[in-house]
């Protein structure tokens, strides 16, 4: 094909599809290339798509239920020790209104649906016959000429464009090839996510998790879940399944010689989890690398002449305890990348300065503001006192606080002092308190 595109997007994940939607709406001629059999076929996510950018891409998306499973109105953070759980639980009908604070998605279904919406937008654009989503193609190289990205190579074939959006996800080989991720990313900055999808009779699921209509729940877990490995657990309710999984530090797994699926089985045996999944049938198992959210592994520069990097390829992710935010960052960064490229086209200038506008917009957006503001919280989550000792201490306190055994009841502060003594030192908690104060 000799034709030149305005833009070639590599990767039809959340970032790439969001960029494509914006480009179609802006009447740009583009090619979106995906190595999987269809968009979503290679993708794994817990996953809650937080925030409401989806409504920008597909207005009134909640009127169709094709792409998403449930909206979140119930959040829970649970500390686990061997026998007990202690939760912070928040549920509100305030979250029942569209556009929601978050929707649960299964990526193979969601990405496919979003790709169909992009196809519809292409069909309405001036380039109905000239813009494409092309699956089953692996981009092997970004073609550069005099420091400017000019196209891509797949096998023997080359395709050319004024601009390239790299949206290849966390395994960012092309980002490295163009020299933007120049430093080696050590294993302690990467986690592996493992997840099972467990099916229930829909009524059983709705009764067990107190779901009503399309409402859903997200539950994060700290402590026993990871069997001493740095990381945490999650449970999200889909339509008639749950996503149950863990994110686990790669370095820690290696050093402690544990396999991710063994840790997941350990998590499932916890009595509280066993009660939640009783009677369910595992219908899918998947695993995927995920960034830690540590800013130190983000490429400093996310652009070159004719090229920008977005989504998790740029390590845009945050897990500061409240939620994993990767898909909403991918969506917003894809939107910002497409906006910068559309402006570049208007000015007829795809040079380095024009592409820099993308990174400036990203710095001004909630993504970089949050990543910068909450780095201490990200590091706190990797502190073993926080992930191991604190959950044990909290559950120990809970066991005493909620016990009634026909003996005189000690004051709560006495119970707390006892729990601290059994699980941590005041010095450790003091240091954690200082870090926590900074983090929040
Ligand atoms: C277990 C787990 C749970 C998670 N939970 C959540 C959650 O609850 N909420 C949340 O917001 N985030 C969550 N995340 C993170 C989230 O999934 C990612 O941050 C998000 O998918 C990043 O989107 P992306 O579009 O940048 O990359 P991806 O979704 O990874 O998409 C990249 C696409 O590019 C394609 N591709 C890659 N290289 C090439 C190539 N050379 N040629 C052609 N195509 C290519 C891939 O096949 C893929 O389709 C979770 C991740 C994991 C692993």
């Amino acid at each position: 094909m000799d034709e030149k595109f305005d833009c070639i997007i590599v990767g039809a994940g959340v970032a790439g599809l969001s960029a494509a939607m914006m480009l179609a709406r802006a009447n740009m001629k583009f090619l979106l290339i995906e190595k999987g059999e269809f968009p979503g076929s290679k993708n794994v996510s817990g996953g809650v798509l937080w925030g409401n950018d989806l409504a920008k891409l597909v207005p009134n998306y909640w009127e169709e239920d094709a792409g998403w499973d449930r909206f979140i109105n119930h959040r829970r953070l649970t500390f686990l020790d061997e026998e007990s759980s202690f939760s912070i639980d928040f549920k509100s009908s305030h979250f029942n209104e569209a556009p929601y604070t978050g929707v649960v998605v299964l990526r193979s279904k969601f990405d496919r649906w979003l790709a169909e919406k992009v196809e519809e937008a292409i069909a309405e654009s001036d380039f109905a016959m000239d813009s494409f989503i092309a699956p089953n193609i692996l981009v092997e190289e970004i073609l550069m000429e005099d420091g400017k990205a000019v196209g891509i190579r797949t096998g023997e074939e080359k395709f050319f464009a004024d601009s390239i959006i790299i949206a290849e996800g966390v395994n960012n080989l092309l980002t490295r090839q163009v020299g933007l991720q120049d430093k080696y990313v050590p294993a302690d900055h990467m986690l592996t996510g493992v997840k099972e999808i467990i099916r229930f009779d829909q009524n059983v699921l709705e009764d067990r998790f107190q779901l009503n209509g399309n409402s859903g729940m997200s539950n994060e877990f700290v402590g026993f879940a990871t069997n001493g490995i740095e990381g945490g657990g999650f449970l999200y309710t889909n339509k008639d399944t749950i996503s149950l999984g863990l994110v686990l530090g790669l370095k820690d797994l290696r050093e402690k010689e544990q396999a991710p699926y063994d840790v997941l089985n350990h998590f499932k045996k916890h009595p509280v989890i066993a009660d939640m999944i009783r009677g369910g049938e595992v219908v899918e198992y998947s695993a995927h690398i995920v960034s830690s959210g540590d800013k130190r592994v983000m490429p400093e520069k996310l652009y070159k002449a004719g090229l920008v990097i977005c989504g998790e390829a740029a390590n845009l992710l945050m897990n500061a305890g409240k939620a994993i935010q990767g898909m909403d960052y991918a969506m917003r960064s894809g939107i910002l990348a497409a906006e910068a490229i559309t402006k570049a086209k208007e000015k007829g200038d795809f040079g380095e300065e024009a592409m820099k506008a993308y990174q400036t917009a990203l710095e001004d957006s909630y993504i970089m503001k949050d990543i910068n503001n909450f780095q201490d919280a990200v590091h706190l989550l990797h502190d073993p006192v926080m992930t191991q000792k604190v959950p044990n201490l909290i559950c120990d306190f809970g066991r005493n606080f909620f016990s009634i055994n026909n003996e005189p009841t000690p004051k709560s502060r006495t119970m707390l002092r006892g729990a601290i003594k059994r699980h941590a030192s005041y010095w450790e908690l003091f240091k954690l308190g200082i870090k926590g104060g900074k983090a929040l």
Side-chain angles (χ1 to χ4, degrees):
M1 192 182 289
D2 296 332
E3 268 190 333
K4 192 174 171 197
F5 294 92
D6 293 324
C7 183
I8 294 176
I9 307 168
V10 183
V14 175
L17 287 165
S18 305
M21 181 67 97
M22 297 302 285
L23 291 182
R25 295 250 177 78
N27 270 323
M28 302 273 281
K29 185 166 126 184
F30 68 89
L31 173 63
L32 167 56
I33 302 181
E34 166 56 42
K35 70 178 174 187
E37 208 183 315
F38 57 87
S41 60
K42 297 262 179 201
N43 293 335
V44 172
S45 185
V48 184
L49 170 59
W50 297 105
N52 44 38
D53 272 354
L54 181 56
K56 279 191 202 152
L57 295 179
V58 186
N60 301 341
Y61 72 85
W62 49 90
E63 287 168 7
E64 8 181 334
D65 67 355
W68 57 289
D69 271 49
R70 292 181 177 277
F71 66 84
I72 296 291
N73 72 351
H74 190 180
R75 311 262 337 246
R76 192 187 284 162
L77 173 63
T78 301
F79 297 91
L80 295 175
D81 71 1
E82 271 177 39
E83 303 280 338
S84 325
S85 70
F86 196 120
S87 296
I88 302 167
D89 194 287
F90 182 80
K91 186 171 186 178
S92 173
S93 55
H94 182 77
F95 289 157
N96 291 0
E97 300 295 319
Y100 306 113
T101 185
V103 288
V104 193
V105 298
L106 290 166
R107 291 293 298 278
S108 55
K109 182 169 131 189
F110 177 75
D111 291 15
R112 220 171 179 171
W113 167 79
L114 194 53
E116 279 166 24
K117 295 282 147 195
V118 174
E119 297 276 15
E120 285 172 22
I122 291 175
E124 285 169 20
S125 78
D126 292 348
F127 294 103
M129 308 301 283
D130 308 282
S131 287
F132 307 95
I133 301 181
N136 253 329
I137 297 175
L138 174 73
V139 174
E140 290 167 62
E141 189 187 348
I142 304 291
L143 303 171
M144 305 291 293
E145 256 174 40
D146 302 327
K148 180 184 181 304
V150 293
I152 61 99
R153 181 183 63 77
T154 164
E156 299 295 306
E157 279 189 293
K158 292 178 179 172
F159 297 96
F160 295 93
D162 285 325
S163 60
I164 310 286
I165 297 178
I166 299 185
E168 60 183 335
V170 62
N171 194 14
N172 57 0
L173 301 176
L174 298 171
T175 306
R176 281 156 207 253
Q177 184 236 310
V178 297
L180 288 178
Q181 180 94 59
D182 51 352
K183 291 186 204 100
Y184 171 68
V185 178
D188 49 358
H189 289 301
M190 286 290 153
L191 301 119
T192 184
V194 282
K195 182 183 88 160
E196 282 184 359
I197 296 186
I198 305 176
R199 176 167 292 140
F200 295 87
D201 176 276
Q202 192 169 329
N203 291 327
V204 171
L205 181 84
E206 289 177 352
D207 286 348
R208 189 167 297 173
F209 294 98
Q210 300 166 352
L211 311 175
N212 188 2
N214 282 333
S215 78
M217 180 184 111
S218 76
N219 196 161
E220 276 79 30
F221 299 88
V222 193
F224 174 91
T226 61
N227 201 17
I229 305 289
E230 177 187 319
F234 58 83
L235 183 156
Y236 305 121
T237 55
N238 308 310
K239 194 76 81 197
D240 63 352
T241 59
I242 59 165
S243 297
L244 181 77
L246 297 168
V247 284
L248 300 164
L250 273 180
K251 182 167 171 257
D252 222 18
L253 274 171
R254 196 179 56 204
E255 283 175 0
K256 293 179 179 148
E257 295 182 355
Q258 292 201 47
Y261 49 84
D262 286 338
V263 187
L264 185 57
N265 283 335
H266 161 90
F267 179 37
K268 287 169 70 182
K269 284 192 186 120
H270 189 281
V272 173
I273 304 300
D275 276 349
M276 287 183 177
I277 62 176
R278 197 177 346 101
E281 181 200 356
V282 177
V283 290
E284 196 181 306
Y285 179 88
S286 49
H288 205 280
I289 297 293
V290 59
S291 316
S292 66
D294 190 326
K295 199 188 160 193
R296 287 173 296 182
V297 297
M298 247 189 91
E300 276 170 32
K301 209 173 139 198
L302 299 177
Y303 61 91
K304 281 195 158 196
L307 175 142
V308 294
I309 318 274
C310 62
E312 222 183 320
N315 273 298
L316 296 177
L317 185 129
M318 195 164 68
N319 181 5
K322 203 163 75 168
I324 303 178
Q325 287 178 263
M327 287 187 280
D328 58 320
Y329 285 12
M331 190 166 270
R332 175 63 70 88
S333 62
I335 292 172
L336 295 177
E339 284 174 353
I341 280 171
T342 306
K343 277 197 195 121
K345 163 94 178 163
E346 279 162 17
K347 291 188 184 148
D349 172 12
F350 291 89
E352 184 145 330
E353 271 308 301
M355 298 299 105
K356 187 179 174 190
Y358 159 67
Q359 187 152 1
T360 307
L362 198 65
E363 295 287 347
D364 287 343
S365 76
Y366 81 100
I367 298 179
M368 288 315 299
K369 288 191 172 143
D370 283 358
I371 286 181
N372 289 327
N373 262 346
F374 291 101
Q375 276 301 296
D376 290 326
V378 170
H379 295 145
L380 195 67
L381 273 194
H382 295 268
D383 186 324
V385 178
M386 180 64 212
T387 56
Q388 306 301 328
K389 295 192 174 183
V390 167
N392 287 338
L393 186 164
I394 290 176
C395 288
D396 181 328
F397 170 75
R399 229 172 5 255
N400 286 299
F401 184 81
F402 291 110
S403 294
I404 295 176
N405 52 16
N406 308 111
E407 297 284 344
T409 306
K411 292 275 193 193
S412 305
R413 63 171 180 269
T414 310
M415 291 182 193
L416 189 59
R417 270 204 297 267
I420 292 173
K421 214 167 154 192
R422 284 187 286 279
H423 298 285
S425 69
Y426 279 106
W427 173 236
E428 281 173 322
L429 292 183
F430 173 73
K431 282 195 297 182
L432 195 71
I434 303 266
K435 282 191 202 168
K438 265 174 70 187
L440 305 171

